[in-house]
Amino acid sequence: MAFDGAFLSCLKEELESTLIEARVDKIHQPSREELVLDLRSRGCSKKLYISARANSPRVHFTEIALENPSTPPMFCMLLRKRLIGGRLTAIRQPGLERALYLDLDCVNELGDIVQLTLATEIMGRHSNIILIDSDLKIIDSIKRIDFEASSIRPVLPGLEYSPPPVVAGRMDLSMCSPDEVIDTMMKGKDGPLSKALLSISHGLSPLICREVSHLATRGRDPNIQGLTQEERHRAIFYLGRIKGAVETGENRMPYILYDNMKTPLEFSFMPITQYGLSAVGSQTESFSSLLDEFYAKKDAALRAK
């Protein structure tokens, strides 16, 4: 599944169109690594689901009702104290990083307006939800990471927040052109196009890199030194379509794939063709409804199995 930085960028715009200026009405923590924020804006209300679970980290609107524990966890109590009544002023994503920062204007115990940020990091087993103050100090997090677990990036109350590290040499498509990505890739180590593209790019998942290779080379995925001039141009063209989907919404589409057993297989912000006749794809109404559908059916299939 491709919950990469590019997908998150498309989802971010969906959230922004509804949530900016919304106020936090309720906060629930259904499980140890899940949050649900009830937000009200312009006469409508939305439930924002945030998960830091290793196998299904995500953030999106949800229509699925989740059972809450009788006694809310401490992190939930802290968020209720600090964030309820707060107004969401901005949603930020640095480039195609898999992190969203929800900035809120809240009222502290003295009645002053203070800015707090809820950092949502969608990074597999390293996913986390972190509350940060205006001085970039960590107030608390849904997962505390001590110095023994990580000497490079501990996450503990009182420490200064540092963003997720970016691998040196990776190219962010939101900050460069498709031509630059392909030119840099061609100067690197030889290998299959899909893997070479994955190793040089930041914010693109293996699924998207395989799809670019599949479309550019008609399913061959040759080593980059064996690419024809036409295949290079086609790779640049399809990277350009991804850049357009992320930046302008052109050709953007909430897309879900099912296998022959009607089990959710993949999701993306663009049609996926690499599976041929072994999968069936369809467009959904929104990125949030896509994620609701994908994970609800995925979880049901796993339970049945």
Side-chain angles (χ1 to χ4, degrees):
M1 59 204 73
F3 205 123
D4 54 15
F7 183 92
L8 186 59
S9 180
C10 297
L11 177 64
K12 169 180 171 283
E13 291 197 19
E14 182 174 293
L15 301 181
E16 280 181 320
S17 65
T18 300
L19 290 185
I20 298 302
E21 300 300 323
R23 292 192 178 274
V24 181
D25 190 35
K26 298 177 183 177
I27 300 175
H28 299 286
Q29 188 174 344
S31 71
R32 189 167 60 90
E33 298 174 345
E34 296 175 293
L35 283 179
V36 177
L37 277 62
D38 287 24
L39 298 114
R40 294 188 178 275
S41 175
R42 296 186 290 274
C44 70
S45 61
K46 288 284 188 180
K47 292 183 183 295
L48 184 66
Y49 173 82
I50 309 174
S51 170
R53 295 164 62 186
N55 61 345
S56 57
R58 61 197 193 273
V59 53
H60 58 91
F61 296 131
T62 186
E63 299 292 336
I64 297 175
L66 298 174
E67 186 175 349
N68 298 305
S70 56
T71 302
M74 291 299 294
F75 186 63
C76 180
M77 296 289 285
L78 171 69
L79 293 185
R80 287 177 178 179
K81 179 181 178 181
R82 295 297 191 100
L83 300 185
I84 284 184
R87 180 174 58 89
L88 186 68
T89 58
I91 302 177
R92 297 178 286 113
Q93 179 190 15
L96 294 183
E97 184 58 78
R98 288 181 296 167
L100 281 188
Y101 297 93
L102 311 181
D103 294 332
L104 300 107
D105 281 348
C106 305
V107 179
N108 66 12
E109 296 171 339
L110 300 177
D112 298 324
I113 301 295
V114 295
Q115 186 184 78
L116 300 177
T117 298
L118 194 64
T120 303
E121 299 177 354
I122 313 297
M123 306 178 68
R125 63 188 180 90
H126 300 295
S127 300
N128 211 339
I129 305 169
I130 308 169
L131 184 63
I132 308 164
D133 67 17
S134 58
D135 295 323
L136 295 182
K137 297 292 185 181
I138 297 172
I139 299 174
D140 209 344
S141 59
I142 206 164
K143 296 180 186 176
R144 291 186 178 183
I145 312 297
D146 60 23
F147 288 92
E148 185 176 341
S150 175
S151 59
I152 299 175
R153 191 173 178 258
V155 179
L156 293 170
L159 296 182
E160 184 173 349
Y161 174 80
S162 59
V166 177
V167 179
R170 295 287 183 92
M171 303 187 70
D172 189 320
L173 198 56
S174 68
M175 302 177 185
C176 62
S177 69
D179 302 69
E180 291 174 311
V181 173
I182 296 300
D183 288 346
T184 302
M185 181 191 71
M186 296 302 298
K187 297 173 184 176
K189 184 179 178 181
D190 194 20
L193 173 58
S194 59
K195 292 183 178 180
L197 188 57
L198 181 65
S199 68
I200 195 66
S201 62
H202 175 70
L204 300 184
S205 67
L207 174 70
I208 296 302
C209 292
R210 291 197 308 268
E211 186 65 16
V212 171
S213 177
H214 177 80
L215 294 170
T217 67
R218 295 180 171 87
R220 293 197 309 117
D221 198 25
N223 284 5
I224 57 174
Q225 299 304 324
L227 288 174
T228 66
Q229 194 67 19
E230 180 185 357
E231 288 170 338
R232 291 190 195 185
H233 289 315
R234 288 170 63 85
I236 291 171
F237 171 79
Y238 286 111
L239 281 177
R241 294 193 66 162
I242 292 171
K243 184 177 177 69
V246 169
E247 295 183 345
T248 67
E250 184 181 2
N251 301 309
R252 183 187 298 170
M253 180 188 299
Y255 195 80
I256 188 168
L257 270 177
Y258 291 92
D259 63 19
N260 293 330
M261 302 299 292
K262 297 184 179 179
T263 301
L265 181 65
E266 300 280 6
F267 62 80
S268 183
F269 57 91
M270 58 184 282
I272 300 298
T273 64
Q274 61 194 258
Y275 290 94
L277 298 178
S278 64
V280 177
S282 64
Q283 182 178 355
T284 61
E285 181 182 349
S286 66
F287 290 102
S288 290
S289 63
L290 180 155
L291 293 170
D292 252 0
E293 178 180 343
F294 182 90
Y295 283 104
K297 292 185 177 180
K298 194 81 170 177
D299 290 346
L302 287 174
R303 284 195 298 270
K305 186 177 180 180

